[in-house]
Amino acid sequence: MKIPSGIRLEGHKDYILSEPRIRVCETPKRIVIPVASSELIVSIGENILRGQKITNGLLPLRATTSGTVTAIEPRPHPQCGQVLAVDIEADGKDASIEDLGRERSDSEIESMLADDLRYIARENGIANLDSTDIVIINGSESEPYLTADYLLMQHKPVEILRGVEFLLRASGAKEAVIAISEDMRQCYEIFASKMFTHKIQKIRLHWLKSTYPQGFDIQLTAQILDKPRRLAQDAGAAIFSVPQAFAFFEAVKFRKPFLERVVTVAGGCVMQPQNVWARFGTSFKDVFEQCGNFLRFPSRVIMNGPMTGVAQDTLDVPVIPATCGVLAFPKEENILEEAAPCIRCGECIPVCPVSVNSAAIVEAVMNSPRIRASSFHPENCIECGNCSYICPSKIPVMDLVLGSREAL
């Protein structure tokens, strides 16, 4: 099976990795936890502890610091506009619930059943686990600037591997695959060494090409399982992130909920680009301040990578479990050029990882109303942005593809 090659992007990663440590952010004075429509179990004025549940539901949310609930009202969200959120004023004590950090013995862990492990994953906000044939850990990190997973894999390889073993036991999968990009050779070698030393049998490593995109479900199932155009769940696979595997280890071994993650803080406006441990609910403003703040005020701030990230209108949005990067760019790195007419070069076609004929869709939308864009299957678009990136005429190709998909 031929896999579309994608495109090679300038990484912009070396200068971030010049700081090889992961800095631990100071506890902010205020934490905002988005709860959306979850079932709240706290109220205004209540004193709460770090790790305490603040919602019930499929994946309970927890406080990431101790303090007082000062408000429960709509707040800006980095992905969803405004949602209901719990404001916590930190008390500076960072006092935790009783069990947090209490270590389980190896014998206690070995005696756990799959249902016990699934309960731990769910109650600690990591994942709602189901039975599956294979577990895939996405270690591709193919977007520019992002290096959070890279450093986490370098600093915590054994813990991540243990977390993957727990995922295997919880899901009943026969094997697990850790997918790593070719340009992350050090991580591959570290994992291979640890797997040999600890005699790990049911986990294997898989090279991914150093092109973008690589971490989408369809690419991973196509390359690892040789099942093209199949979503992970339809192919009998479950895909997890590196932070999820690490968080699962901490939840099982140390009874620690998913309260924080490594976040890349970078871009041309950031004083000290680096990776930090950021608690969920920490504002982007506080995260930037932990990195020396700005050399100059940014023209654009986005959550996650520059290809698929979400632009932000305010810095008062919180870090959430899906936040792997917080990037700030100056005006000269954010030039929105006026689109020129399509020159029919076809460059957007071979870079599409799911073989959508985006050139034909653009022609149908812009120039030929008699041609139905739906006949070129815009519904297959995975929103990677390759077509817009490669277009010499600066046409917002992906937006046109998505617009034609919404019209179906």
Side-chain angles (χ1 to χ4, degrees):
M1 179 194 60
K2 187 178 185 301
I3 306 291
S5 59
I7 55 178
R8 289 192 175 271
L9 301 173
E10 188 175 351
H12 300 286
K13 299 190 180 192
D14 290 345
Y15 81 101
I16 304 166
L17 293 173
S18 63
E19 174 48 83
R21 297 170 298 176
I22 303 175
R23 179 175 180 173
V24 178
C25 282
E26 297 177 6
T27 306
K29 296 179 180 178
R30 179 171 169 257
I31 287 283
V32 177
I33 307 291
V35 297
S37 58
S38 300
E39 182 186 343
L40 277 170
I41 55 175
V42 295
S43 55
I44 296 174
E46 183 175 345
N47 294 324
I48 57 176
L49 300 172
R50 179 172 179 248
Q52 180 178 332
K53 287 205 295 187
I54 59 177
T55 70
N56 282 324
L58 192 61
L59 288 177
L61 299 172
R62 295 176 181 262
T64 58
T65 187
S66 61
T68 304
V69 177
T70 57
I72 300 174
E73 57 191 18
R75 295 286 191 222
H77 186 279
Q79 290 178 313
C80 308
Q82 283 206 339
V83 301
L84 191 69
V86 174
D87 286 27
I88 303 171
E89 183 179 327
D91 58 13
K93 299 176 182 178
D94 210 23
S96 302
I97 56 176
E98 184 177 356
D99 273 352
L100 199 157
R102 185 159 64 87
E103 186 173 353
R104 288 187 173 98
S105 66
D106 290 342
S107 60
E108 184 180 359
I109 294 172
E110 287 301 318
S111 68
M112 287 181 176
L113 302 176
D115 284 345
D116 299 326
L117 292 170
R118 293 181 187 185
Y119 177 82
I120 290 173
R122 182 175 63 251
E123 282 296 296
N124 288 282
I126 298 164
N128 185 30
L129 299 178
D130 292 315
S131 297
T132 190
D133 296 329
I134 185 170
V135 165
I136 298 174
I137 305 300
N138 178 13
S140 62
E141 204 164 44
S142 60
E143 286 208 50
Y145 297 94
L146 302 181
T147 54
D149 288 1
Y150 177 87
L151 279 190
L152 184 58
M153 287 191 283
Q154 285 206 335
H155 283 260
K156 304 290 183 180
V158 175
E159 292 86 345
I160 292 168
L161 287 168
R162 290 293 305 280
V164 176
E165 288 183 316
F166 297 154
L167 286 169
L168 276 168
R169 288 174 53 190
S171 64
K174 297 176 181 178
E175 71 165 341
V177 178
I178 302 177
I180 302 176
S181 294
E182 289 176 335
D183 58 357
M184 299 166 71
R185 181 172 295 275
Q186 275 189 315
C187 294
Y188 189 100
E189 293 172 351
I190 289 171
F191 274 82
S193 173
K194 299 301 182 185
M195 288 165 59
F196 176 81
T197 302
H198 293 272
K199 298 180 174 59
I200 295 174
Q201 301 294 327
K202 296 178 68 175
I203 302 175
R204 64 182 173 93
L205 304 178
H206 182 89
W207 281 121
L208 293 174
K209 291 183 179 180
S210 298
T211 55
Y212 172 84
Q214 290 296 340
F216 289 80
D217 278 19
I218 290 178
Q219 278 69 52
L220 291 174
T221 55
Q223 295 190 53
I224 295 172
L225 305 179
D226 195 24
K227 295 182 178 179
R229 300 187 183 280
R230 298 280 295 279
L231 294 175
Q233 60 184 14
D234 297 331
I239 299 177
F240 301 94
S241 67
V242 172
Q244 281 179 302
F246 176 70
F248 197 25
F249 164 77
E250 290 201 309
V252 174
K253 184 67 175 176
F254 299 110
R255 308 172 199 262
K256 179 183 176 183
F258 197 13
L259 303 177
E260 60 191 353
R261 65 162 294 157
V262 182
V263 176
T264 300
V265 187
C269 292
V270 179
M271 181 75 74
Q272 297 173 317
Q274 59 190 296
N275 285 278
V276 301
W277 282 105
R279 301 182 188 215
F280 302 143
T282 304
S283 72
F284 285 15
K285 181 176 183 293
D286 286 335
V287 170
F288 284 125
E289 286 180 354
Q290 292 288 314
C291 298
N293 223 326
F294 298 128
L295 292 164
R296 46 189 161 158
F297 197 78
S299 171
R300 192 181 192 203
V301 171
I302 64 173
M303 184 184 86
N304 298 342
M307 298 296 288
T308 60
V310 182
Q312 304 298 314
D313 296 326
T314 174
L315 298 182
D316 290 326
V317 291
V319 171
I320 59 175
T323 306
C324 58
V326 179
L327 310 180
F329 298 107
K331 184 176 181 180
E332 59 269 25
E333 294 182 26
N334 186 37
I335 300 174
L336 299 177
E337 299 183 54
E338 185 175 349
C342 175
I343 60 174
R344 296 177 175 79
C345 64
E347 291 291 332
C348 56
I349 298 174
V351 300
C352 178
V354 289
S355 303
V356 171
N357 190 337
S358 48
I361 292 174
V362 169
E363 173 69 17
V365 172
M366 299 183 68
N367 303 315
S368 300
R370 292 188 300 262
I371 301 175
R372 293 190 59 185
S374 60
S375 62
F376 301 106
H377 302 291
E379 70 276 8
N380 291 334
C381 176
I382 60 173
E383 304 179 35
C384 68
N386 275 1
C387 51
S388 297
Y389 177 86
I390 205 72
C391 179
S393 296
K394 305 303 177 185
I395 296 170
V397 181
M398 188 184 77
D399 292 344
L400 294 175
V401 171
L402 295 180
S404 65
R405 181 174 71 181
E406 292 171 0
L408 291 177

